[in-house]
Amino acid sequence: MYNTLARIEEQLADIELESLRRSYIATRPIFLERASAIEAISDFWPTVIDEAPPEIDRRIQPRDVPVLNCLVGIDVERLEVQDAAHGEPRSVKLTFTFKPNAWFADEKIEKTFYWRMSKRGWSSLVSEPVGIQWTDRDLTEGLLDMAIGLWKMEQEYAQDNGRGRADVRTNDEYRSLVEKVGRTPQDAISIFGFFGFRGHHVTAAESEETLKRRRRMIEGVEEWEELDSESPPLPDTEIYPHGEEVALAFSEDLYPGATHYFTAAKERDAKTSDEELISDSENPEESDDVHDEEQETRPTKKLKTSV
């Protein structure tokens, strides 16, 4: 019975994945056309970020705001999609393009997330940390550089036949990162810490073998075994535990809905301006006093400052 139900669920999942592939193939040229059309709108992406869904909005720190005002492009590529029937559509590459600024030298920062299934059965996005060439204050307070340093050390250890990933835990860099992550409040980390997200260690080979094994169990070739659906806690060295949530918000919400977010913001701003004009014309003397008070008390919009 379990095999039958699992086979049905697998068939439904396959249909959803094929739909996602077809949607990506069909909409990719349209989004590229949109990218060209908005090049002339200097505040497009800052305005969109200002309207971002809560998964992104709550991760933006005040110190991030001026830098995000320099954002001139966001692109989402489902890089493993080959055609409507082949390729993992849940893997994505996010590309952020910035105009020249005083914080870092990078024009583009790319971050790739791979969808993987562990041998225990749970799935998640995994990534490698991406560096930023800071020219001013490091908005991550050193966390990003430390995460990259540890990742590079792990690569060196992996190439050494006499050492493995576990040996990294005896290193001072590992302990320093664990301590710094432990004393840094998660809700105080810059959104640029997102580029240091790694997730769980699940290799492409492990994921492929797990998917094949799952197929064999569903087809009845291999004895059925219930797999875990819930992933374990992230490693102590994870500097940005919200990374998967933010990546999904960018790729599945903010990016495809960018025009909607931008238009809604502009329409709201226009409506507010019209209401203020009407109010001023009806009560000119009173409105001057109220306007002065509002100028002193009204909070500035998050991403509307010029750079």
Side-chain angles (χ1 to χ4, degrees):
M1 181 179 71
Y2 288 115
N3 295 59
T4 302
L5 291 175
R7 185 172 65 254
I8 292 172
E9 288 300 309
E10 193 73 13
Q11 290 172 342
L12 292 172
D14 287 345
I15 292 172
E16 290 180 0
L17 292 179
E18 182 176 341
S19 177
L20 182 55
R21 293 188 198 97
R22 289 185 181 279
S23 175
Y24 172 71
I25 293 170
T27 58
R28 180 63 174 165
I30 299 173
F31 282 129
L32 292 176
E33 182 180 356
R34 183 187 70 178
S36 298
I38 63 179
E39 286 180 354
I41 308 175
S42 61
D43 67 337
F44 183 87
W45 286 110
T47 300
V48 171
I49 293 291
D50 194 25
E51 298 293 310
E55 294 85 355
I56 297 172
D57 181 74
R58 61 172 169 252
R59 304 304 174 196
I60 298 175
Q61 305 299 326
R63 63 184 182 276
D64 299 328
V65 172
V67 191
L68 292 174
N69 267 322
C70 299
L71 190 62
V72 295
I74 296 178
D75 183 52
V76 175
E77 180 184 357
R78 299 190 181 276
L79 69 167
E80 291 188 324
V81 171
Q82 302 169 26
D83 53 44
H86 303 90
E88 176 50 65
R90 289 164 289 191
S91 296
V92 296
K93 181 172 75 172
L94 305 180
T95 302
F96 300 85
T97 304
F98 296 84
K99 64 184 179 182
N101 61 80
W103 290 272
F104 46 74
D106 307 89
E107 177 186 355
K108 292 186 177 183
I109 307 178
E110 297 179 347
K111 177 78 170 167
T112 301
F113 296 82
Y114 297 97
W115 185 90
R116 300 274 171 79
M117 179 174 281
S118 77
K119 59 186 177 183
R120 296 182 180 178
W122 47 264
S123 60
S124 66
L125 295 179
V126 303
S127 185
E128 296 178 356
V130 176
I132 296 177
Q133 302 178 64
W134 302 105
T135 55
D136 193 56
R137 172 191 175 188
D138 177 353
L139 297 179
T140 70
E141 307 293 349
L143 278 171
L144 182 55
D145 286 345
M146 293 177 72
I148 292 173
L150 180 63
W151 177 78
K152 289 181 177 179
M153 184 175 297
E154 289 180 356
Q155 307 312 301
E156 294 175 359
Y157 277 34
Q159 294 176 2
D160 188 333
N161 294 329
R163 297 185 292 182
R165 285 175 54 87
D167 293 323
V168 177
R169 298 187 178 187
T170 64
N171 192 280
D172 289 340
E173 288 193 31
Y174 175 90
R175 289 193 290 265
S176 295
L177 181 55
V178 170
E179 291 173 3
K180 189 171 180 64
V181 169
R183 64 174 183 266
T184 303
Q186 291 186 8
D187 59 0
I189 300 175
S190 163
I191 196 170
F192 287 90
F194 169 71
F195 294 102
F197 170 78
R198 297 180 60 183
H200 294 287
H201 180 68
V202 183
T203 65
E206 177 182 337
S207 182
E208 183 178 359
E209 178 54 37
T210 303
L211 289 170
K212 288 180 179 178
R213 181 183 172 219
R214 182 178 175 84
R215 290 280 185 182
R216 291 196 297 269
M217 288 192 294
I218 290 172
E219 294 168 358
V221 177
E222 189 171 325
E223 184 178 352
W224 179 261
E225 178 184 343
E226 192 66 34
L227 299 177
D228 295 334
S229 59
E230 186 172 344
S231 61
L234 288 167
D236 293 338
T237 53
E238 178 57 66
I239 72 167
Y240 205 77
H242 327 292
E244 181 168 355
E245 177 186 63
V246 173
L248 291 173
F250 270 117
S251 60
E252 298 181 359
D253 188 343
L254 185 132
Y255 176 76
T259 302
H260 167 76
Y261 282 119
F262 179 79
T263 303
K266 292 301 182 181
E267 289 178 350
R268 187 185 62 249
D269 290 347
K271 182 178 180 181
T272 301
S273 298
D274 289 344
E275 291 174 349
E276 290 177 350
L277 286 173
I278 294 172
S279 177
D280 289 349
S281 64
E282 292 176 347
N283 304 285
E285 294 182 2
E286 180 181 343
S287 64
D288 286 342
D289 295 335
V290 172
H291 181 73
D292 290 341
E293 292 178 4
E294 288 180 345
Q295 287 296 98
E296 294 177 1
T297 60
R298 183 183 300 163
T300 57
K301 283 194 176 255
K302 186 167 57 184
L303 293 176
K304 292 298 190 281
T305 56
S306 59
V307 177

